[in-house]
Amino acid sequence: MVMVMGLEGTKSNPKLTLLPLIALIFYEVSGGPFGVEDSVRGGGGPLFSLLGFFIFPLIWSIPEALVTAELATSFPQNGGYVIWISAAFGPFWGFQEGFWKWFSGVMDNALYPVLFLDYIKQSLPLFDRFAVRIPALLGITFSLTYLNYRGLHIVGFSAVLLALFSLSPFLIMALLSIPLIRPRRWLAADFGKVEWRRYFNSMFWNLNYWDKASTLAGEVENPSKTFPKALVGGLVLVVSSYLIPLLAGTGALESSPSEWEDGYFAQVGMFIGGSWLKLWIQVAAAMSNLGLFEAEMSSDAFQLQGMSKMGMLPAVFASRSKYGTPTVSILFSATGVIFLSWMSFEEIIEFLNFLYAVGMLLEFAAFITLRLNKPNLHRPYRVPLPTFWAAILCLPPALLLILVMCLASLRTFFVSGAVILLGFILYPILVQAKNKNWILFVENKDVELLVSSPFASVEEELSLVQSDS
């Protein structure tokens, strides 16, 4: 193992402030109501969809956001949950968590260039042709990857502008729908048409990934204060961006649940406001997918950079460009996106949900373990509950995770099992390469002390936080 010099020797770049971080969290989790149409179809009508977006944030989003706030401020370094798991259970499980979450994130990101073209082709059918579609997908992926390379502060600023543009047509639609709304329509439900797998996967996908922004905590200005505020702001923005368009659309239209498919909000806009609103929603949906791609790419890349600084991945993943961005980590994540973009929408959703669920169960376990074994760990933000009630807080979302996994298809179990097995194989190979000096790794004594000893002293942990913050 060799000490790597100059990996951080790039020019200083602006840190993420509150508003760009809220926008990035918004795009990590949501990006707007595009994709929630499936919850109406899967739920057999508006009732279950609306109830879901009222109830699921209480039993899922809020607990995940609270746990993220406590752990991200306790360990404000790039890598996020990889560091939490390593501190609680050791580097083997930290690596597995990182591998599962990175793979899940890359699968998620493979959706967005495809969805972008799916919205565009409604007005420009040319992009439905294979000879045009494939170069367009590659061009979009390369262009957005380059934007990520140019700097996280640029990505954050772009996310703010994209969020304002993407949500504006739905605010207009909600105002125009008021005279057309009939509250009885919100109570419609055809219990015989409920598709539970589709419903729960749609709910889960639209309300997860609150922890993703933690992977770039080292790039945030004053993370101990900024992160909790950003998570609260993101939560309000996400839930509002779902409920307001759903209340407007389902209350104004007497439509069958089977009509509520991806992209149906454009038809809702046509009915409520006319062709101009339909076109605006289509363009906003397309642009929102760009924001989703940028946010996910940033988190995936900085997660790999954080894992490299911890000595889990080769040193090349920790290298930064002159813009302060992890160049190799970005390229590696972009390559994964290209290779996974051939999968269907529903396959990707189910696969990434399963892997994400496994990782989140491990995060909740780490949260409780760190509360029990490291009660004096410096926690700038602490969930205002004693450990017993903090564990009870994690119980409903844990049960939801298990339910989502149980509803998965046999194919999903097989593919996810293969990914998990690959992680188990990769770890000893990388450890051997590190010990034998086959590949250059970063030597970071502070981080190694933490990940090699699940029960390091409080003084050692404080030294780690101070050295990296």
Side-chain angles (χ1 to χ4, degrees), residues 32-40 49 53 202 206 242 246 262 265:
F34 316 106
V36 303
E37 299 100 328
D38 227 25
S39 68
V40 179
S49 177
F53 285 112
S202 176
N206 281 294
Y242 289 155
L246 277 173
D262 289 329
F265 266 123

Side-chain angles (χ1 to χ4, degrees), residues 22-62:
I22 290 175
L24 283 175
I25 290 173
F26 170 70
Y27 274 114
E28 294 283 7
V29 177
S30 167
F34 316 106
V36 303
E37 299 100 328
D38 227 25
S39 68
V40 179
R41 180 176 180 177
L47 179 61
F48 281 129
S49 177
L50 292 171
L51 284 176
F53 285 112
F54 274 110
I55 297 172
F56 273 69
L58 296 176
I59 65 174
W60 169 249
S61 299
I62 291 177

Side-chain angles (χ1 to χ4, degrees), residues 28 100-112 201 204-206 208-209 296 340 343-360 401 404-405 412 415-416 419:
E28 294 283 7
W100 302 336
K101 286 298 192 75
W102 177 82
F103 203 95
S104 171
V106 170
M107 290 178 77
D108 186 44
N109 227 10
L111 290 171
Y112 302 128
N201 270 308
F204 187 66
W205 181 59
N206 281 294
N208 64 11
Y209 283 97
E296 183 66 60
L340 291 171
M343 299 173 68
S344 72
F345 182 86
E346 287 191 4
E347 284 177 334
I348 290 178
I349 293 296
E350 197 169 304
F351 293 157
L352 71 87
N353 278 351
F354 192 96
L355 287 172
Y356 188 84
V358 176
M360 276 308 307
L401 291 167
V404 169
M405 292 169 66
T412 296
V415 173
S416 301
V419 172

